[in-house]
Amino acid sequence: MATVVLMPAVVADAEDAVLTSWLVTEGDQVTKGQELAEIETDKANVEVEAETVGTVGRLIGSAGDRIAVGAPIAVLLKDGEDASAIDAALGVQSAPEADEPAAPLDAADAPATQPVSGTPPEAAQTSAHKPGERIFASPLARRIAAEHGLDIAQIPGRGPRGRVIRADVEAAIAAGKAEPEAESAATSAAAEPAAEPAAASAAPRRAEQVSSEPVPDAGGAYEDIPLTGMRRAIARRLSESKATIPHWYVTVDARLDALLTYRKQLNEASPVKISVNDLLVKAIASTLQAIPAANACWNGDSIRRYNTVDISVAVSTPAGLVTPVVRGVEKLGMSALAETTKDLIERARDGKLKQKEIEGGSFSISNLGMYGVRDFCAIINPPQSAILAVGAAEQRAVVTDGEAGVATVMSLTLSSDHRVIDGALAAEFMQALKARLENPVLLAL
């Protein structure tokens, strides 16, 4: 049977992604693992790969379309199949069972065969819920409704089979805010005389700006830059992180002279240039192995502790911050770690990361030392519980055994989720990390 390629859910709670470009055309023969399309997700531009061998029978959607997660974007035909197999495959894909929504659409909030951009809200079919009826709603819609004290059963859904999606909840929230405003406006209109025409004409403009950010003075020149999907996601995720995660900060200063000597020795033998950041990543992995309680994340009703060390490395790109994951750092030698990290960083800047390369991770590192930044506090990347902010390595006056001297010192600040890593554990982690940086022979143990 023909294979339907679905829009992947790269990020938790994602409802859609932008189809950036097609890398194949209809009629092309493709192999397993071959890139079919580029998509823009909340975190990065990633490539969608073919999971089977076949012929491209149909491409669904055009470059620039915003398509729901779980919706079909292509159909691959097997040998001997013709165009009739395409409709059959799509028919199966969009036909749910009598009492359950189609499994591939469990994460989607739009009809399976329609790009989100092609379904205007005003044209969408909504469905009211009957008493005792099972309510289908996306996890994100349920969470937003709960945060605003709304009963999900009272919100009509426009998704498949009346499924409640984020747009339905947001519309209900907006309607709830509009009713008091309308009542207030009606009361004011009855109590006050009619306004002058000039004032009346200005009212709509003020209404448009109620929920907007402060705008520049009219006399100044400025440009409004439209938000990309990634920039919107960065704003949403980091705002949620600061609002919902109790951040706890611990800072230490580490002397790096021994580490820099160690790095020089490594680079004399390594086929790949090893950076200070590579050594920091390795030191973090060694520390997390020594203190496994810090290699964990908040999981609602439990704390999830990881057995491997997967570290996200923050990379600045023109589109925004991307965090590819270096997996199994504890098992990598320094040359392999440097090569892996370099490859991930280059492809992150080129927008060529794969979906699996930006998922997961238990810890993050953000390095601004190359910009001369001495120290800073980073925001935790949920659902992780910690991120290390790395400042510049610089020569500073130090005192050793009562004698003044000069040493290369780096300031390191750990931002941790206090629900998982409390103050004592954070201090223990930073003490162990500092010990490894100042005595790098510990990295080999």
Side-chain angles (χ1 to χ4, degrees):
M1 182 177 177
T3 301
V4 179
V5 181
L6 306 177
M7 177 63 79
V10 179
V11 183
D13 284 340
E15 296 187 341
D16 53 51
V18 176
L19 177 62
T20 306
S21 64
W22 286 110
L23 303 179
V24 295
T25 59
E26 293 183 0
D28 286 354
Q29 296 285 332
V30 297
T31 59
K32 184 176 181 180
Q34 181 176 340
E35 292 82 5
L36 302 177
E38 291 182 337
I39 62 172
E40 178 186 309
T41 70
D42 285 354
K43 286 189 175 181
N45 291 329
V46 298
E47 295 170 343
V48 179
E49 298 179 351
E51 297 183 357
T52 61
V53 176
T55 302
V56 179
R58 181 178 299 174
L59 301 178
I60 304 171
S62 304
D65 282 348
R66 183 174 291 277
I67 301 177
V69 167
I73 60 173
V75 179
L76 302 181
L77 298 175
K78 294 183 179 179
D79 289 341
E81 292 182 325
D82 56 22
S84 62
I86 299 175
D87 293 332
L90 291 174
V92 170
Q93 183 65 32
S94 60
E97 294 293 330
D99 57 356
E100 290 288 342
L105 289 176
D106 187 56
D109 273 352
T113 57
Q114 293 293 332
V116 173
S117 58
T119 310
E122 61 271 18
Q125 296 295 321
T126 60
S127 124
H129 307 294
K130 300 177 182 178
E133 179 185 13
R134 180 179 176 183
I135 306 301
F136 293 119
S138 74
L140 182 58
R142 291 183 183 277
R143 178 165 61 81
I144 296 175
E147 289 174 353
H148 288 80
L150 298 179
D151 182 359
I152 198 73
Q154 301 302 316
I155 302 176
R158 73 182 66 186
R161 301 180 68 234
R163 193 167 193 246
V164 180
I165 61 176
R166 177 177 62 181
D168 301 323
V169 179
E170 291 175 344
I173 295 170
K177 291 180 178 179
E179 289 178 2
E181 291 175 359
E183 293 176 0
S184 176
T187 303
S188 298
E192 297 179 4
E196 293 295 328
S201 64
R205 295 182 61 185
R206 289 197 299 270
E208 292 173 0
Q209 297 174 2
V210 168
S211 60
S212 302
E213 293 294 326
V215 296
D217 293 337
Y222 63 91
E223 179 184 4
D224 290 333
I225 309 299
L227 296 177
T228 63
M230 187 188 302
R231 178 55 60 184
R232 288 182 185 276
I234 290 172
R236 173 178 56 81
R237 287 173 60 81
L238 295 186
S239 296
E240 290 178 355
S241 176
K242 288 293 287 186
T244 61
I245 297 177
H247 283 56
W248 173 263
Y249 306 101
V250 178
T251 301
V252 299
D253 292 334
R255 300 187 189 187
L256 297 189
D257 298 283
L259 188 75
L260 295 177
T261 300
Y262 179 60
R263 174 182 176 243
K264 182 178 179 180
Q265 294 170 343
L266 287 173
N267 278 327
E268 289 175 353
S270 174
V272 182
K273 184 178 179 180
I274 297 170
S275 68
V276 172
N277 202 67
D278 295 329
L279 288 167
L280 285 166
V281 171
K282 190 65 175 179
I284 292 170
S286 175
T287 306
L288 289 174
Q289 282 189 293
I291 308 175
N295 190 27
C297 72
W298 183 256
N299 195 34
D301 56 357
S302 65
I303 293 177
R304 176 170 296 173
R305 187 173 294 180
Y306 297 96
N307 297 323
T308 61
V309 181
D310 302 332
I311 298 179
S312 301
V313 179
V315 181
S316 177
T317 73
L321 196 66
V322 182
T323 52
V325 182
V326 185
R327 303 188 186 279
V329 179
E330 77 282 3
K331 301 175 183 177
L332 297 176
M334 285 309 308
S335 294
L337 172 60
E339 187 172 10
T340 300
T341 304
K342 180 182 178 182
D343 174 63
L344 287 171
I345 291 174
E346 288 179 349
R347 289 191 291 110
R349 290 172 176 161
D350 293 338
K352 299 296 183 181
L353 290 173
K354 301 182 186 302
Q355 176 182 343
K356 61 184 179 181
E357 293 170 332
I358 60 176
E359 295 177 328
S362 58
F363 193 103
S364 289
I365 179 173
S366 179
N367 192 339
L368 293 181
M370 68 286 295
Y371 298 106
V373 175
R374 182 165 181 160
D375 62 77
F376 66 102
C377 298
I379 301 175
I380 297 170
N381 182 27
Q384 297 177 8
S385 60
I387 180 170
L388 185 72
V390 180
E394 57 186 9
Q395 288 193 328
R396 301 182 197 172
V398 297
V399 177
T400 305
D401 296 330
E403 295 185 2
V406 177
T408 303
V409 181
M410 172 183 285
S411 293
L412 306 164
T413 299
L414 179 72
S415 303
S416 61
D417 184 342
H418 209 297
R419 299 171 299 181
V420 180
I421 303 175
D422 57 25
L425 181 58
E428 181 185 359
F429 174 88
M430 294 299 280
Q431 183 182 42
L433 177 62
K434 178 178 178 177
R436 283 162 173 75
L437 295 177
E438 294 185 340
N439 188 14
V441 69
L442 296 176
L443 298 180
L445 299 180

